[in-house]
Amino acid sequence: MANAQASPRKMPKLDATADTNGDSQDILEEIDAIQTQLDSLNDQASDEILKVEQKYNQMRKPHYNKRSALIGKIPDFWLNTFMNHPQIAALLDEADEEVLRYMTQLTVEETEDIRSGYKIIFEFKTNPFFENNQLVKEFTMSESGDMGTTETKINWKAGMALTEKNGDKGKGKVGGKRDRDDPPSFFSWFEDNSMGGDEVGEVIKDDIWANPMQYYLDLDEEEDLEDDPEDDPEDEEEGDEGGDDGAAGEEEEEE
């Protein structure tokens, strides 16, 4: 979508007493004309970059589809991926983790023009928490540049709504809405369009969706390091101490 050609800016007139040679005004007007040309080139570059992004988005789709089909065969793939991402993990409580065990697919779809927004689609198998098989959170950029969101209404099963208080320890009524001061959770982020959703959404779109494997494998890599006896510094220290004791014993025998 081509942008309107940048219109020349009006240059303020300089105080004649401040410029005895009368050259500064002409120079500034030339600089402004050059800047207008640069702005026009920048607009053209943005349009060309957008066309390239649109082209490659289409080329990526079959690869995303193949990847999703394979990911669907791995139990708890998305749960582990979310738990290993520092920013998303900060949103997860134990109840969220239980629900995410039933998550089977994650998809991010950008709008055709890319600039106006995107949507994140979470797919779930039958679970004891809600009736939905698919939850969608859509991010839309307004003309003023503000990001707004719309969300699928979660049809929670009786007594299973994670975004409502449970009334424990006398705090609030059973089934009462969460307070703003309550710790954030994944599903409170999903349902609440005023919780800085654009930041979390950008993390999912640009980080997790772009390469989920790097976060899924993170836990396995840490476990491999922990289980490798060759890399245990304590074993090396004990070996060194044993060697020193043995050397000392040999010296005593020689004496």
Side-chain angles (χ1 to χ4, degrees):
M1 182 171 59
N3 293 334
Q5 186 175 359
S7 58
R9 293 181 297 274
K10 293 182 177 179
M11 288 295 300
K13 294 292 184 180
L14 295 178
D15 184 353
T17 60
D19 180 21
T20 56
N21 296 325
D23 294 334
S24 294
Q25 182 67 40
D26 293 338
I27 294 172
L28 289 173
E29 288 179 354
E30 286 188 46
I31 293 173
D32 186 59
I34 293 171
Q35 188 61 52
T36 298
Q37 294 171 350
L38 288 171
D39 291 343
S40 178
L41 286 174
N42 289 337
D43 290 340
Q44 292 177 36
S46 296
D47 291 339
E48 293 299 322
I49 291 170
L50 178 60
K51 291 176 183 177
V52 172
E53 289 177 345
Q54 291 171 329
K55 172 186 174 182
Y56 280 92
N57 272 353
Q58 293 299 317
M59 294 174 65
R60 292 186 188 105
K61 282 185 177 181
H63 298 284
Y64 285 142
N65 292 338
K66 290 179 183 178
R67 186 183 72 181
S68 294
L70 293 171
I71 286 174
K73 299 177 182 180
I74 302 176
D76 298 336
F77 180 91
W78 292 111
L79 169 62
N80 289 326
T81 298
F82 284 3
M83 289 178 66
N84 290 337
H85 191 288
Q87 289 172 271
I88 302 301
L91 287 176
L92 302 180
D93 56 26
E94 291 183 5
D96 289 328
E97 293 173 13
E98 286 301 313
V99 179
L100 291 175
R101 290 188 185 278
Y102 295 90
M103 182 175 163
T104 57
Q105 291 294 351
L106 170 73
T107 306
V108 174
E109 295 181 358
E110 294 186 281
T111 55
E112 185 176 353
D113 68 355
I114 299 175
R115 295 168 175 167
S116 61
Y118 59 95
K119 60 183 175 181
I120 304 174
I121 304 168
F122 306 90
E123 295 184 39
F124 294 83
K125 58 187 175 182
T126 302
N127 64 81
F129 296 93
F130 46 73
E131 301 290 348
N132 313 69
N133 292 322
Q134 186 181 90
L135 300 177
V136 181
K137 192 172 182 77
E138 188 165 359
F139 301 79
T140 306
M141 186 75 71
S142 67
E143 293 182 359
S144 62
D146 296 325
M147 183 69 77
T149 65
T150 55
E151 304 81 19
T152 302
K153 184 182 186 307
I154 301 179
N155 298 321
W156 296 101
K157 294 181 179 179
M160 304 303 290
L162 302 188
T163 52
E164 296 179 352
K165 287 185 176 181
N166 58 19
D168 287 347
K169 300 180 182 179
K171 293 182 180 180
K173 298 179 181 179
V174 175
K177 291 292 184 182
R178 293 169 61 97
D179 290 338
R180 293 287 182 181
D181 295 335
D182 289 343
S185 72
F186 182 80
F187 286 95
S188 62
W189 160 77
F190 181 88
E191 287 193 331
D192 191 343
N193 58 16
S194 64
M195 290 185 64
D198 54 339
E199 181 179 348
V200 177
E202 291 291 330
V203 167
I204 294 175
K205 176 175 73 75
D206 296 332
D207 204 358
I208 290 180
W209 172 246
N211 186 2
M213 281 283 287
Q214 64 179 325
Y215 297 105
Y216 176 77
L217 294 175
D218 180 68
L219 182 60
D220 294 338
E221 291 174 356
E222 289 180 359
E223 289 178 347
D224 288 343
L225 291 174
E226 292 173 359
D227 295 340
D228 190 349
E230 296 179 2
D231 293 337
D232 192 344
E234 293 183 0
D235 293 341
E236 294 178 1
E237 291 176 3
E238 290 176 0
D240 293 340
E241 291 175 359
D244 294 341
D245 292 342
E250 290 177 0
E251 290 176 1
E252 290 177 358
E253 291 178 1
E254 290 176 359
E255 293 176 359

